[in-house]
Amino acid sequence: MKHSFTLLVLLGCLLNVQAQKYDNTWLWGIYPQNQNNTQYPFHGNAYGVFDNDTFISNAKFRGMTFSEANNSISDPNDGKLLFYTNGFCVRDTNSQIIENGDSLGYCPTWHTENGVFGSRIIWDLITLPSPEKDSVYKLIYLRFDDLITSTSSMCYADLLHTSNSLKLTSKDFKFTTANPSDGGLAACKHGNGRDWWVIFIEQNSNCFYKYLLTPDTFMFHSIQCIGRPIDEADICNNAFSPDGYK
């Protein structure tokens, strides 16, 4: 049986970012076999748009399936979709694979699950605006390294956004030696208004790793061991309060 846990962490505070619309558009949906969805008529690429005080949902075929992992980023000014990923591939708003955007998180299951599911690791995919670098985004994700030994890595990729292009300038870089558990990746803006707190739990333990994403690097901060160990049958979901104080 899988269990879900929430860890409340005293780390910082969220700034008022109502003027920024990074999370304006959300995508989800599985099995988009063709544009008519004839094989799976009740599934497809649904999307939702937050427009002021309203939420609008619809569907559009995008050629990418989202099983557990999905993430998207919108333009911070107008809220229009910039790019999205299922943990294995990155596409732009026109559903085209961006430069170097294929084979993200390359692992033993990549070939069998890329076209059918995408990454099947829940709550382990985040995109953050890089501190003090308006045109750079950090994609942070868990990658399975060995299914037999259940070892995995917490990785990141750098995405460069210019006026007319998107490209991954690097990918699959490990920023920790810890063996992260499925689920539990979370982030929160630091109280300094610039950096980001990034937190995840180590596999088969009760230890939560805290990192700071700064303009230059991922900087290790501390380890907090609390509660009972999270084993392989558990799914851990870390969360911050809306105001970021816990």
Side-chain angles (χ1 to χ4, degrees):
M1 178 180 295
K2 292 183 176 293
H3 310 282
S4 180
F5 296 86
T6 299
L7 174 71
L8 302 180
V9 188
L10 296 168
L11 286 179
C13 67
L14 289 172
L15 301 181
N16 186 342
V17 292
Q18 293 179 350
Q20 297 179 324
K21 300 181 179 181
Y22 290 112
D23 60 350
N24 208 55
T25 304
W26 294 53
L27 281 71
W28 62 93
I30 57 175
Y31 305 129
Q33 299 297 303
N34 53 58
Q35 294 204 23
N36 296 319
N37 280 333
T38 54
Q39 185 171 356
Y40 299 95
F42 302 109
H43 297 81
N45 286 142
Y47 67 92
V49 178
F50 292 89
D51 187 11
N52 296 322
D53 294 329
T54 62
F55 178 76
I56 303 171
S57 62
N58 211 323
K60 179 180 179 179
F61 180 80
R62 298 182 186 273
M64 178 182 288
T65 182
F66 307 99
S67 181
E68 279 78 14
N70 67 316
N71 194 249
S72 59
I73 283 288
S74 302
D75 187 287
N77 299 310
D78 60 21
K80 294 181 179 179
L81 182 66
L82 280 181
F83 61 88
Y84 57 95
T85 178
N86 61 3
F88 280 171
C89 178
V90 185
R91 294 179 182 258
D92 62 20
T93 187
N94 297 314
S95 302
Q96 299 299 309
I97 298 176
I98 71 170
E99 183 178 346
N100 200 30
D102 59 347
S103 65
L104 183 70
Y106 193 82
C107 65
T109 62
W110 194 93
H111 286 285
T112 57
E113 297 186 347
N114 177 42
V116 182
F117 301 106
S119 174
R120 304 190 70 180
I121 308 174
I122 193 169
W123 298 321
D124 267 319
L125 178 61
I126 291 177
T127 303
L128 299 174
S130 188
E132 295 187 344
K133 298 177 183 178
D134 295 338
S135 60
V136 177
Y137 293 87
K138 294 283 187 183
L139 280 66
I140 309 171
Y141 51 95
L142 185 147
R143 181 192 68 193
F144 275 131
D145 295 327
D146 192 316
L147 297 180
I148 297 177
T149 61
S150 296
T151 56
S152 55
S153 301
M154 193 61 72
C155 301
Y156 74 90
D158 287 315
L159 187 148
L160 177 64
H161 173 223
T162 62
S163 59
N164 56 5
S165 70
L166 291 162
K167 67 176 180 179
L168 287 185
T169 57
S170 63
K171 58 186 175 183
D172 294 349
F173 276 87
K174 296 171 60 174
F175 66 88
T176 177
T177 58
N179 186 21
S181 176
D182 296 9
L185 177 63
C188 177
K189 199 67 173 286
H190 190 282
N192 63 17
R194 184 196 67 180
D195 303 329
W196 292 90
W197 288 107
V198 177
I199 185 171
F200 63 90
I201 184 171
E202 188 174 36
Q203 191 175 121
N204 298 320
S205 80
N206 64 343
C207 294
F208 294 81
Y209 284 68
K210 305 172 191 176
Y211 281 79
L212 271 177
L213 172 57
T214 70
D216 300 317
T217 187
F218 282 91
M219 184 174 67
F220 174 75
H221 181 270
S222 61
I223 300 174
Q224 179 183 4
C225 298
I226 184 173
R228 77 165 181 83
I230 307 299
D231 61 36
E232 294 183 13
D234 297 325
I235 296 178
C236 175
N237 180 22
N238 301 327
F240 295 91
S241 61
D243 60 10
Y245 279 99
K246 60 182 181 179

